[in-house]
Amino acid sequence: MTHTEKKELRSRSKNELKRNNILMSASKLFCELGFSATSMDKVAKLAGVSKQTVYSHFGNKDDLFVASIVCKCEKFELLVGSQQVEQDPKTTLEGFANRFISMLLSDEGIAIHRVCASEAKNNAKVSELFFNAGPKRVIASLSECFERFNQQNLLNISDCHCAAIQFVSMIRGEAVMRREYNTQIQLTADEINSYIKQSIELFLRGYGYSEPSQC
Amino acid sequence: MTHTEKKELRSRSKNELKRNNILMSASKLFCELGFSATSMDKVAKLAGVSKQTVYSHFGNKDDLFVASIVCKCEKFELLVGSQQVEQDPKTTLEGFANRFISMLLSDEGIAIHRVCASEAKNNAKVSELFFNAGPKRVIASLSECFERFNQQNLLNISDCHCAAIQFVSMIRGEAVMRREYNTQIQLTADEINSYIKQSIELFLRGYGYSEPSQC
DNA sequence: GTCTATATACAGATAGAC
DNA sequence: GTCTATCTGTATATAGAC
């Protein structure tokens, strides 16, 4: 390895580190403050680099925004997780609903939804990316899950995609609305759990599920 | 009526007119552009007054924002309308669902939701006002409607507030999500109608509604 | 009360030294 | 590639004439 190669490697490594710092700082600020209130100055300061370095890595504010939200979306996929298809419908839905509502109500979940929705007009690229990486994927996997329950005669759903939307929409419920609008009164964990329980019951009653304990 | 009285009246009337112009212009711009992208200059220009006049009427940008959203909220109440309680549950729900989804998907509905949600952190006052004037009111009236159907033994709902949330959440569905995130593909009217129909069926099956045509 | 003109601050983006 | 210093535009808010 020549001297120049060593130098290039060190240089590249340093670049990647700074690039990553900038990306993390931008993600954090965009989610916390929104697009407009996040300035390139703030990003540079938080990342510990000069503003010009931010520009040399990402060109302009829009591109930095897209890159940082894509970065967040990757994190999101981990949160969704895969469906447990081995269990009965009720247990599966309970597990899914709990993971799903936790994600929606998490600081990150609220933040990314808020910033994508509010920038949807000006930055359609971002909200489209988010929709495909997040909600769309969740709905598709839940829909497939319903297909399997249908085949096992555990559920009787005529339109699984429709049912998946119905389920995720229901689970969302008042809790997410109150978080989104940041109302003074927020729902307690008990209230949310009770609501989810009732929603699962409604869903299973409506789609012909019978308790497995029948003789 | 003296000369001065006439003058005062004319002056006041002129003030009210300008004040109203400012309010209308601000509502429009805040909803279209969001909070940050709406400048006092633009409001003044659209209202046909000077910027100083805007300030003399509303003090600062935050107060103007609150006043303009309150103004929009009043309009919203009209859009929701009152429930028709004379009819059977199915007809009632169909009517409500259609009016409700129309409102959610209207340009104004999307705009006010978007701007309130995105400003919820910085302007909690506004989103709280909107939540109380909009979603909360709709849910309460639907809940009362369910109570009456319960009393008439047309439905069998254990928790009417919960059921109202379930219903409005379901109806919201994919259509509003896609509008909110401004995805390239939007649902057609037929798709939305079909989804609503299935959701009403699920709801009525789940809450023990039997068709009135039974002998 | 309403206007024009301006103070002040900060945004996004660039130039040029090292 | 990275920094400091700067350009240019525009924002909120105010001062002072009428």
Side-chain angles (χ1 to χ4, degrees):
Chain A
M1 190 182 275
T2 67
H3 179 69
T4 23
E5 274 171 346
K6 266 189 197 165
K7 203 173 173 185
E8 270 175 12
L9 190 68
R10 207 164 49 233
S11 171
R12 172 174 295 207
S13 149
K14 197 176 177 184
N15 281 348
E16 288 301 312
L17 196 75
K18 288 203 174 175
R19 191 191 160 85
N20 205 42
N21 268 347
I22 295 167
L23 214 48
M24 291 300 162
S25 306
S27 301
K28 189 174 151 69
L29 289 172
F30 280 132
C31 283
E32 275 178 12
L33 309 175
F35 181 79
S36 305
T38 299
S39 69
M40 299 300 255
D41 278 305
K42 283 176 190 161
V43 173
K45 200 169 187 179
L46 184 62
V49 300
S50 77
K51 196 162 60 165
Q52 180 57 36
T53 304
V54 177
Y55 275 97
S56 71
H57 276 280
F58 294 97
N60 60 44
K61 192 181 177 182
D62 269 33
D63 288 354
L64 175 60
F65 181 64
V66 173
S68 73
I69 297 297
V70 169
C71 167
K72 277 274 179 196
C73 284
E74 285 165 9
K75 214 171 175 183
F76 245 74
E77 283 190 53
L78 299 174
L79 290 171
V80 175
S82 58
Q83 306 313 320
Q84 311 288 353
V85 292
E86 325 300 343
Q87 300 163 318
D88 68 302
K90 193 173 181 183
T91 314
T92 304
L93 286 184
E94 282 169 351
F96 169 78
N98 284 326
R99 275 177 287 138
F100 185 62
I101 195 74
S102 298
M103 181 194 66
L104 290 185
L105 293 176
S106 69
D107 289 341
E108 276 196 316
I110 289 289
I112 198 167
H113 159 73
R114 192 173 276 165
V115 73
C116 286
S118 70
E119 280 304 308
K121 258 191 171 175
N122 308 320
N123 266 302
K125 203 175 175 183
V126 172
S127 51
E128 183 95 31
L129 275 167
F130 170 68
F131 180 76
N132 290 331
K136 197 175 174 182
R137 206 178 282 260
V138 174
I139 290 162
S141 87
L142 191 61
S143 177
E144 282 170 28
C145 174
F146 289 160
E147 299 275 8
R148 284 191 291 270
F149 284 133
N150 260 349
Q151 283 162 12
Q152 298 171 271
N153 288 317
L154 291 172
L155 290 179
N156 180 25
I157 299 175
S158 56
D159 183 338
C160 288
H161 174 75
C162 166
I165 303 269
Q166 288 169 333
F167 191 74
V168 299
S169 298
M170 254 202 299
I171 294 303
R172 199 178 172 277
E174 187 178 2
V176 176
M177 254 168 56
R178 285 191 174 273
R179 275 276 276 163
E180 199 175 0
Y181 293 132
N182 196 21
T183 60
Q184 287 192 316
I185 299 171
Q186 294 288 319
L187 298 191
T188 65
D190 281 350
E191 284 169 332
I192 295 171
N193 287 334
S194 162
Y195 174 79
I196 288 178
K197 191 160 166 275
Q198 291 184 68
S199 296
I200 292 173
E201 283 167 7
L202 167 62
F203 188 85
L204 293 176
R205 273 201 310 276
Y207 282 123
Y209 171 73
S210 43
E211 289 283 344
S213 60
Q214 64 187 8
C215 298
Chain B
M1 191 181 276
T2 67
H3 180 71
T4 23
E5 274 171 347
K6 267 188 197 167
K7 203 174 176 183
E8 270 174 14
L9 190 68
R10 205 163 50 234
S11 172
R12 171 174 296 207
S13 147
K14 198 176 179 184
N15 281 348
E16 288 301 312
L17 198 74
K18 287 202 174 174
R19 191 191 159 85
N20 206 43
N21 269 347
I22 295 167
L23 215 48
M24 290 299 162
S25 307
S27 302
K28 189 173 152 69
L29 290 172
F30 280 130
C31 283
E32 274 177 14
L33 309 175
F35 181 79
S36 305
T38 298
S39 68
M40 300 297 256
D41 277 306
K42 284 176 189 159
V43 173
K45 200 168 186 179
L46 185 63
V49 300
S50 78
K51 196 161 56 165
Q52 181 56 34
T53 305
V54 177
Y55 275 97
S56 72
H57 275 281
F58 294 97
N60 59 44
K61 192 181 178 181
D62 269 34
D63 288 355
L64 175 61
F65 181 62
V66 173
S68 74
I69 297 297
V70 169
C71 167
K72 277 274 180 197
C73 284
E74 285 164 10
K75 214 171 175 181
F76 245 72
E77 285 188 53
L78 298 173
L79 289 170
V80 176
S82 58
Q83 309 310 320
Q84 312 287 352
V85 292
E86 325 299 344
Q87 300 163 318
D88 69 304
K90 193 173 181 183
T91 315
T92 304
L93 286 183
E94 283 169 352
F96 169 79
N98 285 326
R99 275 176 287 139
F100 184 63
I101 196 74
S102 299
M103 178 194 67
L104 290 184
L105 294 175
S106 69
D107 288 341
E108 276 197 316
I110 289 289
I112 197 167
H113 159 73
R114 193 172 274 163
V115 72
C116 286
S118 69
E119 282 302 310
K121 258 192 171 175
N122 307 321
N123 266 301
K125 204 174 173 182
V126 172
S127 51
E128 182 95 31
L129 275 166
F130 171 68
F131 179 75
N132 290 332
K136 197 174 173 182
R137 206 177 281 260
V138 175
I139 289 161
S141 87
L142 191 60
S143 177
E144 281 170 27
C145 174
F146 289 160
E147 299 276 9
R148 283 192 291 269
F149 284 133
N150 261 349
Q151 283 163 12
Q152 298 172 271
N153 288 318
L154 292 171
L155 290 179
N156 180 24
I157 298 175
S158 56
D159 183 338
C160 288
H161 174 75
C162 167
I165 304 267
Q166 287 170 335
F167 191 74
V168 298
S169 299
M170 254 201 303
I171 294 302
R172 203 178 171 276
E174 186 177 2
V176 176
M177 254 168 58
R178 285 192 173 273
R179 275 276 276 164
E180 199 175 2
Y181 293 131
N182 195 23
T183 59
Q184 287 192 316
I185 298 171
Q186 293 289 320
L187 299 189
T188 65
D190 281 350
E191 285 169 328
I192 295 171
N193 287 332
S194 162
Y195 173 80
I196 287 178
K197 191 160 165 277
Q198 292 183 67
S199 297
I200 292 172
E201 284 166 6
L202 168 63
F203 188 85
L204 293 177
R205 274 201 309 276
Y207 282 123
Y209 171 73
S210 43
E211 288 283 344
S213 59
Q214 63 188 6
C215 300

